[in-house]
Amino acid sequence: MMPTIVIYSSTGCPYCEKIKTELKEWGFTYEERNVTDNPKYFDDLHEQGMFSTPVVFIDGEAFIGYRPKKMKKALGVTVEALQTAGTSNTAAVIFEEPTQDVFNEVYDFVAIGGGPAGTSAAVYASRARLKTLIIDKSPSSGTLAITHKIANYPGVPGEVTGQELLEKMHVQAKDFGTKMIRSNVLSVDFSDEEIKKLVLPEGTIQAKSVFIAVGAKAPGSKIKGEEEFTGRGVSYCSTCDAAFFENRAVAVVGDTDEAVHEALALSKFAREVLMLVPTNKLKGEANLDELKAKDNVTIYFNHRLKEINGDKKVQTLLIRDAEKNEVTWEIDGVFLYLAGLKPGTDFLGDAVKRDTEGYVEVDETLKTSVDGVYAGGDARRTPIKQAVISAADGCIAALSADQHVNKRKQMRPQYS
Ligand SMILES: Cc1cc2nc3c(=O)[nH]c(=O)nc-3n(C[C@H](O)[C@H](O)[C@H](O)COP(=O)(O)OP(=O)(O)OC[C@H]3O[C@@H](n4cnc5c(N)ncnc54)[C@H](O)[C@@H]3O)c2cc1C
């Protein structure tokens, strides 16, 4: 029997759109209750202590926030089911669950990460006739995959979503013979000169060359209380949730342009907005002028959020202030914009050289400190992070790997 699915959404909420699309792709229908359009739906959530959208009820069980993994489990969605249903979710079909045959194989080239860097590398590696594998723990969650619009990728005019662009790349790599599996590389062993080992929860992959293309979207470590209160006062999206905090006090934590933008949006709803900047300045192009002009906004530099506390919903924050004193602030909600700046390379340990921020160190051929191991895209330090740069890195890494695996004197370009 089909489950009863009700989505509480809000206008302009990107994660609401994303989860609706995915439910359709998994073959489910749902009733949508837009809290922006209908105050009754807004009150429904409020009464249940929920201050966030999307909230998806599956047969009465609430999934607060964007929780596709948990929802798929609850709905019994598997890759096989999607293939049988002929779903259009390309990533779900192209990326297979790992089976024993991938662990028996010795691959010529393995990309860790199926974003533009890993996928472009796979196109080149497969065309160079290297036996190629991409491992990605969540192909729809990389930086490009979640980019709402991309208009500057050469040869792709107009605006497409990052996911659409990436799916084209996945199909192209697959057509050239790349195999793609969905799994998480937990650790690596590069001690053997010939065969590198990548440890997944399901088994160990063997590879003659490896490309580290894991991007730089790793969240910093979670703040105490963050997980517990997500959707109950902890939020990541003002467009989705600002209305829940009308005439209330909220904190915004972050040091980027995004955090400033979100604080501005919240100032139109909240009674009071406390902006906490963990350091003494903002990152990049962020500018505080407009925010400073708002009567209901106060900006605190050098204030770090230590804990989020409450009973059923957020009530207080434990802050370390500029004088390094721990103080408690009463608050109704907290919007977090701290994640997304760190390369997700901790699983590498000391296997390759990384700099103090976790970026993998490479030479001009993108070789790391270990022969046969390459890194690129957002996982290495680049002057600017763009999809086209990651894709170009994929080309260099794959052709470097081809030279290594086939013991060529020089890199061999592909002129077709
Ligand atoms: C908000 C925003 C907007 C942007 N807009 C643009 C734009 O308009 N134009 C543009 O050119 N660029 C844009 N960018 C930048 C662009 O998205 C990135 O530079 C690019 O996606 C980086 O590619 P990547 O392959 O290195 O990493 P990602 O695209 O982040 O892919 C990394 C992949 O690795 C996987 N992975 C990570 N760790 C593991 C692991 N341990 N095991 C297995 N898999 C793992 C992840 O699941 C992910 O799929 C934008 C970025 C942001 C944040």
Side-chain angles (χ1 to χ4, degrees):
M1 209 172 82
M2 284 296 256
T4 305
I5 304 178
V6 178
I7 300 183
Y8 284 80
S9 65
S10 58
T11 305
C13 155
Y15 289 104
C16 301
E17 293 309 312
K18 211 162 154 59
I19 203 66
K20 276 161 42 188
T21 307
E22 284 173 18
L23 277 166
K24 278 186 215 148
E25 285 169 348
W26 302 338
F28 293 97
T29 53
Y30 52 78
E31 178 195 342
E32 183 173 2
R33 298 182 181 174
N34 185 309
V35 304
T36 317
D37 295 344
N38 190 330
K40 183 186 169 309
Y41 297 149
F42 184 92
D43 294 342
D44 281 354
L45 285 188
H46 230 187
E47 277 161 23
Q48 296 179 67
M50 295 175 190
F51 306 101
S52 192
T53 56
V55 177
V56 181
F57 288 89
I58 300 176
D59 287 334
E61 186 188 351
F63 294 79
I64 308 173
Y66 178 67
R67 296 270 189 273
K69 214 168 166 183
K70 287 190 176 151
M71 284 174 52
K72 270 165 106 174
K73 204 167 167 200
L75 291 165
V77 177
T78 59
V79 173
E80 293 72 32
L82 291 169
Q83 281 167 335
T84 314
T87 174
S88 62
N89 185 341
T90 315
V93 174
I94 283 189
F95 281 81
E96 302 165 33
E97 300 299 325
T99 49
Q100 192 52 44
D101 55 321
V102 292
F103 301 116
N104 296 339
E105 193 66 64
V106 176
Y107 286 93
D108 294 318
F109 182 77
V110 176
I112 312 175
T119 313
S120 155
V123 168
Y124 276 85
S126 292
R127 287 202 73 208
R129 299 187 190 283
L130 298 181
K131 194 162 189 57
T132 301
L133 178 75
I134 294 179
I135 308 168
D136 198 303
K137 61 180 176 181
S138 178
S140 302
S141 308
T143 314
L144 181 59
I146 61 160
T147 298
H148 196 51
K149 292 189 275 205
I150 173 159
N152 54 5
Y153 196 85
V156 185
E159 283 177 358
V160 293
T161 66
Q163 182 74 43
E164 284 164 348
L165 177 60
L166 197 53
E167 283 182 0
K168 284 187 200 302
M169 295 184 194
H170 289 153
V171 170
Q172 190 180 10
K174 179 103 177 166
D175 285 347
F176 282 124
T178 300
K179 187 172 178 77
M180 299 180 214
I181 58 168
R182 176 190 284 262
S183 188
N184 194 354
V185 179
L186 302 174
S187 64
V188 297
D189 178 355
F190 296 153
S191 54
D192 186 315
E193 273 181 29
E194 294 299 317
I195 307 296
K196 327 286 175 205
K197 296 194 176 68
L198 310 177
V199 179
L200 317 183
E202 302 85 357
T204 299
I205 297 285
Q206 304 173 79
K208 293 181 189 167
S209 66
V210 173
F211 180 36
I212 300 159
V214 292
K217 199 185 140 274
S221 50
K222 289 242 180 214
I223 288 158
K224 195 163 173 232
E226 178 179 345
E227 186 88 24
E228 185 186 345
F229 292 109
T230 294
R232 297 185 184 275
V234 172
S235 175
Y236 306 90
C237 173
S238 73
T239 321
C240 313
D241 302 333
F244 289 103
F245 296 93
E246 184 126 39
N247 292 324
R248 289 166 188 259
V250 295
V252 175
V253 186
D255 54 6
T256 57
D257 187 47
E258 184 187 15
V260 174
H261 183 265
E262 297 286 274
L264 265 175
L266 281 159
S267 69
K268 294 175 191 140
F269 291 85
R271 181 184 75 243
E272 192 182 9
V273 177
L274 311 176
M275 168 118 188
L276 270 76
V277 183
T279 58
N280 61 356
K281 61 174 172 23
L282 297 177
K283 285 208 166 80
E285 301 292 305
N287 181 316
L288 285 171
D289 293 349
E290 212 180 329
L291 206 53
K292 280 181 181 160
K294 298 273 176 190
D295 290 339
N296 61 341
V297 177
T298 318
I299 301 161
Y300 297 89
F301 283 100
N302 289 314
H303 278 58
R304 284 183 188 268
L305 175 59
K306 306 286 289 178
E307 281 177 28
I308 302 166
N309 295 306
D311 181 9
K312 289 195 174 114
K313 61 184 185 64
V314 171
Q315 288 167 321
T316 59
L317 303 181
L318 182 67
I319 311 284
R320 201 184 66 186
D321 70 14
E323 278 75 46
K324 303 208 178 339
N325 298 317
E326 295 208 335
V327 289
T328 299
W329 289 0
E330 287 192 9
I331 208 87
D332 297 305
V334 56
F335 286 69
L336 300 177
Y337 302 99
L338 291 168
L341 300 169
K342 199 174 159 284
T345 57
D346 286 351
F347 71 98
L348 296 168
D350 294 330
V352 289
K353 272 195 194 151
R354 295 181 293 146
D355 70 13
T356 48
E357 287 182 60
Y359 290 103
V360 182
E361 293 184 6
V362 288
D363 67 13
E364 64 178 15
T365 67
L366 299 189
K367 186 173 89 60
T368 66
S369 51
V370 177
D371 275 347
V373 179
Y374 307 87
D378 286 3
R380 74 171 175 108
R381 191 176 283 283
T382 51
I384 189 90
K385 291 182 171 56
Q386 288 285 277
V388 69
I389 292 173
S390 294
D393 277 4
C395 163
I396 297 171
L399 298 183
S400 299
D402 173 51
Q403 183 186 4
H404 170 82
V405 170
N406 289 310
K407 303 195 184 338
R408 299 186 200 284
K409 285 208 176 87
Q410 285 180 334
M411 261 194 236
R412 182 183 282 185
Q414 291 178 2
Y415 300 137
S416 39

